[in-house]
Amino acid sequence: MSQRLDYTQVSPAGVKALGAVYGYVAQSGLPPALVELVFLRISQINNCAYCLDMHTRDLLKKGLPVEKLALVQAWPEGGALFDARERAALAWAESVTRVATTGVPDADFAAVSAVFSEKEVVDLTIAIGLMNTYNRLAISFRNVPQAAAMAAR
């Protein structure tokens, strides 16, 4: 796989705008490790190798145990490895990412609203939308994952 184009060079203003949204999410008050966990799950759903590689590395740097990392894709079976807020955020991320299929039902909204404030639900949804955008850019323009680039050397 080779990169089709470098969208950061082609549209720096667009990428900067996305970066501003990322900056908002980072200062929103949501726990950074929770946001990274959600980013990883979204990237798994979208099959974005570039983002999977990046978020896996970021979570390991943040100290996420490898046992938990290994079960992100099957988090409902992870039991006590995932706390109530992580489970709610991951379920919300799945529902919102698969919006065309799920329609984001009231039950999903009620579940996330039970453990997050209204502002947190909005900020989490902004983060979910942002990661879906980043996944679509990386997949569409064939960003090469760091691991693949290193293996090719």
Side-chain angles (χ1 to χ4, degrees):
M1 176 175 82
S2 61
Q3 188 173 25
R4 290 177 170 165
L5 61 84
D6 183 349
Y7 56 85
T8 65
Q9 296 298 313
V10 174
S11 185
V15 173
K16 183 177 179 183
L18 291 174
V21 176
Y22 181 85
Y24 172 78
V25 170
Q27 66 77 45
S28 71
L30 291 171
L34 175 76
V35 172
E36 283 294 330
L37 202 62
V38 165
F39 284 173
L40 178 63
R41 183 64 191 118
I42 293 164
S43 298
Q44 289 172 336
I45 292 166
N46 291 325
N47 202 33
C48 181
Y50 178 83
C51 295
L52 285 168
D53 181 75
M54 178 176 54
H55 297 299
T56 298
R57 290 171 191 278
D58 289 347
L59 283 163
L60 288 170
K61 286 178 194 168
K62 286 182 181 357
L64 187 79
V66 71
E67 297 83 5
K68 188 171 185 173
L69 183 64
L71 293 178
V72 171
Q73 189 166 351
W75 64 266
E77 289 81 40
L81 279 174
F82 299 92
D83 66 30
R85 284 172 57 94
E86 289 169 333
R87 288 191 303 273
L90 291 166
W92 185 245
E94 289 180 4
S95 188
V96 172
T97 296
R98 295 177 171 136
V99 64
T101 304
T102 69
V104 191
D106 291 342
D108 292 354
F109 178 74
V112 75
S113 296
V115 293
F116 287 98
S117 71
E118 286 184 344
K119 181 182 182 309
E120 288 174 322
V121 172
V122 172
D123 291 344
L124 183 58
T125 307
I126 290 169
I128 292 164
L130 177 65
M131 184 46 49
N132 275 288
T133 298
Y134 277 135
N135 285 171
R136 279 147 181 78
L137 286 166
I139 293 167
S140 297
F141 300 118
R142 304 291 191 257
N143 281 14
V144 178
Q146 181 180 344
M150 290 176 9
R153 292 182 188 161

